[in-house]
């Protein structure tokens, strides 16, 4: 059968009067076997090929190839579309692995690695699965502003924007506008989009720009309704990836299992006891740290054989003003995190919808009421009980595929040192 393939020269192996060229494109690899005796002119042209040249080849597909590559074409025609200057700044085959900063410097070349394409195909599936699931459940997709006039949480780690001479900010989370849409009566919404953090953190899990799958829903009984939805959503996403990205997972050497439902729910203050038994003393009323996240994962793995778990009822003191506290025990908040393999994937829970309480809580946090007026005032005119969460897309990608650094789960990562390319 005659076929045409376009792509990049992945490897070249001359063997006297035969030349093996492997062509790589989105579909995978195919071996091109040029024989001198078949067509001398074509053979000569093929001899001029360099790694990463872009070519078009027309030829006959070998039906039962013995090539290890899996596919083989005997070319009849070769067009060199674009030459690649030599030497290449990084090795695209991945045989000699460059350091991450160099790879990111040459990210488009780095992304030519088939493993990288596989990572982002999985990431696309995560988003596709989430959208499908949420739409089917009646959630409306929305787009809230990225530029905001008022700061949502602390304020220290936001990027400032010059807004016609006035100070504006890039959102840290679409949270507050999502809540305003609950006040607007939208009931069930989701948003997939970026958030920004001007944090000079140099960890393997923080970016200055990341994306989230954020949802908000109204008329919930309490935060457990939100937990249930998130559990189903994540279960659906992972199952979808297992089905849809079989080849990608294989290429990446990742074995995925359907998550086990229900995901265990650990709650404060019991968490202090669990951690103490694991040899970690966290002062009562304080937030846990990074080490605790990993300890709790090991604990959940052993007790429940699950890589996922929720944490609920964080101390109000460590959460933002808009969370809902437990009325009978206001020390604790209906504030929920989801963790996967020892890393936080999302934060959320039930929000406070009662105007007086929001004001009271903001005052308690020392937030000037003037600065949140744009948000709070709307709650005076009828607000339903509601809650939601924001699930980090890059975090889920990295944990799902056991990627050690979040930058590798991001096409063009932005961190304190990097905003190019
Ligand atoms: P952490 O404590 O792990 O730094 P956070 O509590 O500051 O996270 P949230 O404000 O709760 O993060 O944001 C919701 C979700 O968005 C997080 O659970 C995470 O998945 C993702 N996320 C938040 N900040 C970042 C970041 N800097 N880089 C990548 N993902 C992030
Ligand atoms: Mg959080």
């Amino acid at each position: 059968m005659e076929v045409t393939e376009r792509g990049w020269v992945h490897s070249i192996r001359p063997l006297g009067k035969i030349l093996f060229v492997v062509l790589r494109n989105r579909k995978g690899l195919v071996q091109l076997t040029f024989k001198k005796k078949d067509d001398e002119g074509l053979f000569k042209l093929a001899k001029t090929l360099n790694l990463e040249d872009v070519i078009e080849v027309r030829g006959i597909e070998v039906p039962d190839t013995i090539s290890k590559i899996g596919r083989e074409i005997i070319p009849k025609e070769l067009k060199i579309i674009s030459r690649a200057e030599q030497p290449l700044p990084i090795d695209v085959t991945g045989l000699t692995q460059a350091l991450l900063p160099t790879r990111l410097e040459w990210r488009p070349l780095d992304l030519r690695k088939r493993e990288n394409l596989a990572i982002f195909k999985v990431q696309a599936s995560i988003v596709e699965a989430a959208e499908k699931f949420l739409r089917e459940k009646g959630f409306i997709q929305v787009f809230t502003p990225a530029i905001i006039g008022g700061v949502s949480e602390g304020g220290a780690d936001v990027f400032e924007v010059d807004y016609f001479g006035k100070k504006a900010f890039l959102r840290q989370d679409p949270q507050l506008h999502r809540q305003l849409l609950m006040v607007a009566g939208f009931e069930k919404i989701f948003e997939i989009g970026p958030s920004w953090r001007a944090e000079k953190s140099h960890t393997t899990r923080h970016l200055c720009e990341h994306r989230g799958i954020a949802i908000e829903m109204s008329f919930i009984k309490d935060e457990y309704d939100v937990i249930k939805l998130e559990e189903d959503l994540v279960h659906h996403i992972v199952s979808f990836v297992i089905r849809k990205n079989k080849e990608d997972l294989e290429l990446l050497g990742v074995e995925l299992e359907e998550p086990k439902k229900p995901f265990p729910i650990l709650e404060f203050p019991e968490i202090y006891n669990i951690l103490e038994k694991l040899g970690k003393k966290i002062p009562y009323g304080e937030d846990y740290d990074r080490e605790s996240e990993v300890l709790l994962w090991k604990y959940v793995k052993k007790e429940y054989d699950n890589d996922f778990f929720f944490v609920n009822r964080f101390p109000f003191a460590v959460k933002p003003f808009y969370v809902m506290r437990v009325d009978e025990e206001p020390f604790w908040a209906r504030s929920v995190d989801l963790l996967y393999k020892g890393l936080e994937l999302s934060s959320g829970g039930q929000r406070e919808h009662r105007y007086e309480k929001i004001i009271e809580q903001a005052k308690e946090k020392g937030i000037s009421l003037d600065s949140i007026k744009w948000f709070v005032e709307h709650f005076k005119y009828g607000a339903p009980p509601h809650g939601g969460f924001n699930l980090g897309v890059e975090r889920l990608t990295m944990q799902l595929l056991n990627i050690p650094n979040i930058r590798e789960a991001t096409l063009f990562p932005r961190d304190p040192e990097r905003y190019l390319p």
Side-chain angles (χ1 to χ4, degrees):
M1 194 189 38
E2 192 173 284
V3 291
T4 301
E5 287 287 351
R6 295 177 196 90
W8 283 257
V9 174
H10 186 68
S11 71
I12 304 167
R13 194 157 56 94
L15 248 162
K17 289 180 176 140
I18 301 183
L19 179 70
F20 295 113
V21 173
V22 175
L23 177 146
R24 181 193 69 245
N25 59 24
R26 220 176 82 148
K27 289 185 290 186
L29 301 176
V30 48
Q31 177 180 291
L32 315 175
T33 310
F34 295 93
K35 291 181 191 156
K36 195 172 175 187
K37 70 167 172 38
D38 287 354
D39 185 336
E40 204 152 324
L42 187 63
F43 186 77
K44 228 168 129 191
L45 182 62
K47 284 285 251 190
T48 72
L49 288 176
N50 281 316
L51 291 180
E52 299 305 312
D53 284 348
V54 180
I55 57 171
E56 178 178 310
V57 70
R58 189 172 57 81
I60 302 294
E61 175 120 25
V62 180
D64 297 306
T65 179
I66 50 163
S67 156
K68 280 196 302 237
I69 301 295
R71 282 186 66 206
E72 182 181 6
I73 294 173
I74 308 292
K76 279 188 177 167
E77 194 189 345
L78 171 67
K79 271 192 219 152
I80 298 169
I81 296 171
S82 167
R83 289 279 193 187
E85 206 177 291
Q86 305 290 318
L88 296 156
I90 58 167
D91 171 17
V92 175
T93 60
L95 284 177
T96 44
Q97 187 71 275
L99 293 174
L100 190 56
T102 314
R103 290 177 44 202
L104 295 178
E105 191 81 23
W106 294 101
R107 190 58 160 161
L109 268 177
D110 181 53
L111 290 171
R112 287 186 190 174
K113 281 183 214 142
R114 295 171 65 224
E115 290 78 6
N116 277 331
L117 178 60
I119 291 173
F120 294 98
K121 276 163 79 184
V122 169
Q123 189 165 81
S125 291
I126 289 174
V127 173
E128 183 185 344
E131 286 184 6
K132 272 195 178 140
F133 174 89
L134 291 165
R135 287 207 181 95
E136 257 163 43
K137 290 243 178 295
F139 284 75
I140 301 164
Q141 183 164 21
V142 300
F143 303 95
T144 66
I147 298 175
I148 54 170
V151 180
S152 61
E153 307 200 3
D157 49 3
V158 291
F159 284 106
E160 256 182 55
V161 180
D162 174 26
Y163 199 77
F164 306 116
K166 282 193 211 139
K167 229 193 247 180
F169 310 93
L170 293 182
R171 70 176 181 208
Q172 290 170 289
D173 194 298
Q175 153 85 33
L176 297 180
H177 285 92
R178 260 164 30 231
Q179 287 195 247
L180 292 181
L181 291 177
M182 294 302 100
V183 172
F186 279 34
E187 284 189 40
K188 288 170 168 189
I189 57 165
F190 74 98
E191 170 156 20
I192 299 177
S195 300
W196 293 268
R197 302 278 160 108
E199 260 171 46
K200 286 226 162 167
S201 48
H202 296 87
T203 74
T204 52
R205 60 184 196 284
H206 288 102
L207 297 163
C208 293
E209 176 182 275
H210 71 94
R211 276 136 286 265
I213 300 167
I215 77 109
E216 205 65 33
M217 58 204 253
S218 285
F219 301 112
I220 55 172
K221 190 163 63 35
D222 51 35
E223 76 274 25
Y224 295 100
D225 285 349
V226 180
I227 288 178
K228 184 76 190 107
L229 180 91
E230 185 166 15
E231 177 184 270
D232 289 343
L233 170 68
V234 169
H235 183 273
H236 178 81
I237 291 174
V238 180
S239 310
F240 184 85
V241 168
I242 293 174
R243 272 185 279 122
K244 170 127 190 200
N245 298 88
K246 229 165 160 306
E247 282 173 23
D248 301 310
L249 295 171
E250 240 170 65
L251 183 65
L252 294 167
V254 176
E255 275 177 40
L256 274 184
E257 277 173 30
E258 271 198 17
K260 253 196 274 179
K261 291 203 273 190
F263 301 171
I265 305 171
L266 307 183
E267 301 202 338
F268 283 92
E270 176 57 20
I271 282 190
Y272 296 122
N273 297 332
I274 298 173
L275 282 172
E276 196 165 352
K277 277 192 207 124
L278 299 170
K280 178 95 192 177
K281 181 97 185 103
I282 301 279
Y284 195 88
E286 282 186 18
D287 203 353
Y288 57 46
D289 56 5
R290 179 73 198 117
E291 193 195 356
S292 308
E293 290 185 343
V294 177
L295 284 173
L296 291 173
W297 168 38
K298 303 253 153 87
Y299 166 82
V300 168
K301 189 85 186 151
K302 189 158 156 272
E303 296 291 317
Y304 304 93
D305 189 28
N306 209 322
D307 285 319
F308 289 96
F309 64 95
F310 288 104
V311 172
N312 190 8
R313 303 283 163 105
F314 279 89
F316 173 69
V318 307
K319 288 289 171 185
F321 74 95
Y322 51 72
V323 303
M324 180 181 270
R325 306 161 88 159
V326 181
D327 278 352
E328 318 80 66
E329 292 176 286
F331 192 83
W332 310 108
R334 298 182 185 278
S335 211
V336 180
D337 276 11
L338 173 65
L339 284 87
Y340 178 29
K341 295 178 188 163
L343 181 66
E344 180 188 318
L345 279 193
S346 78
S347 282
Q350 184 163 12
R351 332 290 191 185
E352 184 53 74
H353 62 283
R354 297 163 292 187
Y355 176 76
E356 294 74 23
K357 292 257 184 202
I358 305 175
I359 296 287
E360 199 180 285
Q361 294 183 180
K363 275 191 192 152
E364 209 176 304
K365 296 267 178 199
I367 294 170
S368 95
L369 296 183
D370 232 25
S371 73
I372 50 166
K373 203 163 183 245
W374 68 272
F375 170 70
V376 191
E377 284 303 284
H378 307 284
F379 285 79
K380 277 185 185 166
Y381 306 102
H386 63 280
F389 55 83
N390 192 5
L391 178 78
V393 171
E394 294 88 355
R395 289 246 181 124
L396 178 53
T397 311
M398 82 187 267
Q399 291 309 85
L400 204 60
L401 301 177
N402 306 319
I403 294 170
N405 192 322
I406 193 164
R407 289 164 184 76
E408 294 194 58
T410 313
L411 286 172
F412 298 101
R414 267 72 186 102
D415 66 25
E417 268 66 55
R418 177 173 303 281
Y419 60 178
L420 292 169

